[in-house]
């Protein structure tokens, strides 16, 4: 049973990809939810890997073409969805820079660095890198499959770019991340974001802040009553 007088320590795993717009929107909703619950909860956020496009070629693919092929979306519906996401992002404090001809890329190497950041810097360092990658892709329209772009994000997050470069060339690190990717698929994650609270309760999708806050409070209350 947890003491009601002290903040409840909660672990929040967010399974996501750095080229998923709903993932940054979902994270911003989680941030807002934690503000709503206030000092009742002391949350630790850990990012978990998911590849939306594991077979994406090195040159990437035009987003409009990709969405049409993968989801059958028309150019009109795609534009409407991007507009909706942009407005929602803006309301949450994140700006999407949806330029014509934007491309989507493979993200495996980004996940290697996020795994490394967590192992060597902890949750705050990992989140700093995740945000730098979101910014690089969605705001600066950079190719987040390129090593120099990834290392720029590492430096932006205040991490060691020389150590990061070595990690990108370490086969053992690749194997660890591949195992993590497969493990989340085996746990039933087929789309992102997926938010897992205390390793038990999965919240699918980018829910609104109020929904996240309600779940967080329910988990805390259950722990209090044991």
């Amino acid at each position: 049973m947890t003491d009601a007088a002290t903040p409840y320590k909660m672990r929040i795993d967010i399974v996501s990809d750095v080229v998923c717009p709903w993932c940054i929107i979902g994270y911003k909703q989680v941030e807002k939810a934690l503000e709503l619950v206030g000092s009742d909860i002391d949350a630790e956020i850990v990012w978990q890997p998911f590849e939306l496009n594991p077979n994406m070629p090195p040159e990437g693919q035009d987003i409009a073409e990709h969405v049409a092929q993968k989801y059958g979306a028309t150019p009109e519906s795609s534009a409407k969805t991007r507009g909706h996401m942009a407005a929602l992002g803006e309301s949450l404090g994140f700006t999407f820079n949806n330029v014509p001809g934007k491309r989507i890329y493979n993200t495996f190497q980004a996940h290697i660095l996020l795994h490394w950041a967590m192992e060597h810097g902890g949750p705050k360092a990992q989140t700093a890198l995740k945000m730098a990658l979101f910014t690089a892709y969605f705001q600066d329209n950079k190719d987040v499959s390129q090593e120099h772009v990834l290392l720029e994000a590492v430096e932006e997050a205040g991490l060691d770019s020389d150590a990061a470069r070595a990690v990108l060339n370490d086969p053992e690190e690749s194997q660890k991340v591949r195992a993590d990717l497969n493990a989340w698929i085996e746990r039933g994650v087929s789309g992102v974001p997926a938010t897992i609270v205390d390793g038990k309760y999965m919240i699918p999708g980018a829910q609104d802040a109020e929904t996240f806050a309600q779940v967080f409070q329910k988990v805390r209350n259950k722990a209090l009553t044991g």
Side-chain angles (χ1 to χ4, degrees), residues 75-108:
E76 294 77 17
S77 65
S78 294
K80 185 177 180 180
T81 299
R82 286 195 298 273
H84 171 63
M85 288 189 295
L88 187 52
E90 202 71 40
S91 73
L92 293 165
F94 187 87
T95 300
F96 288 95
N97 183 14
N98 292 319
V99 298
K102 188 175 179 69
R103 300 181 74 78
I104 194 164
Y105 302 101
N106 180 273
T107 54
F108 184 71

Side-chain angles (χ1 to χ4, degrees), residues 17-84:
D17 202 350
V18 298
V19 294
C20 165
W22 292 113
C23 290
I24 177 60
I25 289 172
Y27 172 64
K28 287 295 183 179
Q29 298 283 25
V30 167
E31 276 192 321
K32 188 176 177 182
L34 291 172
E35 290 176 3
L36 292 175
V37 299
S39 59
D40 284 349
I41 293 172
D42 178 14
E44 176 182 84
I45 293 174
V46 180
W47 297 92
Q48 301 293 349
F50 190 91
E51 281 187 289
L52 283 171
N53 307 290
N55 300 315
M56 182 64 66
E59 69 275 12
Q61 186 180 19
D62 178 87
I63 281 189
E65 176 185 299
H66 174 75
V67 171
Q69 287 183 357
K70 189 171 184 178
Y71 304 107
T74 65
E76 294 77 17
S77 65
S78 294
K80 185 177 180 180
T81 299
R82 286 195 298 273
H84 171 63

Side-chain angles (χ1 to χ4, degrees), residues 41-206:
I41 293 172
D42 178 14
E44 176 182 84
I45 293 174
V46 180
W47 297 92
Q48 301 293 349
F50 190 91
E51 281 187 289
L52 283 171
N53 307 290
N55 300 315
M56 182 64 66
E59 69 275 12
Q61 186 180 19
D62 178 87
I63 281 189
E65 176 185 299
H66 174 75
V67 171
Q69 287 183 357
K70 189 171 184 178
Y71 304 107
T74 65
E76 294 77 17
S77 65
S78 294
K80 185 177 180 180
T81 299
R82 286 195 298 273
H84 171 63
M85 288 189 295
L88 187 52
E90 202 71 40
S91 73
L92 293 165
F94 187 87
T95 300
F96 288 95
N97 183 14
N98 292 319
V99 298
K102 188 175 179 69
R103 300 181 74 78
I104 194 164
Y105 302 101
N106 180 273
T107 54
F108 184 71
Q109 299 246 32
H111 289 303
I112 291 175
L113 291 181
L114 287 162
H115 179 270
W116 162 78
M118 177 62 194
E119 281 197 332
H120 295 276
K124 289 185 179 179
Q126 189 193 37
T127 292
L129 178 56
K130 186 78 172 187
M131 291 305 300
L133 290 166
F134 277 141
T135 298
Y137 180 66
F138 289 113
Q139 296 183 350
D140 301 334
N141 291 301
K142 293 181 178 179
D143 178 351
V144 289
S145 70
Q146 295 295 314
E147 182 176 289
H148 73 277
V149 173
L150 295 171
L151 296 180
E152 285 173 5
V154 166
E155 292 180 354
E156 183 70 24
L159 299 169
D160 185 341
S161 60
D162 289 333
R165 184 181 290 106
V167 166
L168 287 173
N169 293 289
D170 185 345
E172 289 188 9
E173 291 294 324
S174 296
Q175 290 173 6
K176 289 177 186 176
V177 173
R178 185 63 65 194
D180 284 348
L181 286 163
N182 291 335
W184 285 106
I185 292 170
E186 288 170 4
R187 286 185 64 176
V189 176
S190 58
V192 289
T195 304
I196 297 90
V197 184
D198 284 350
K200 302 176 185 177
Y201 312 99
M202 184 183 292
I203 309 168

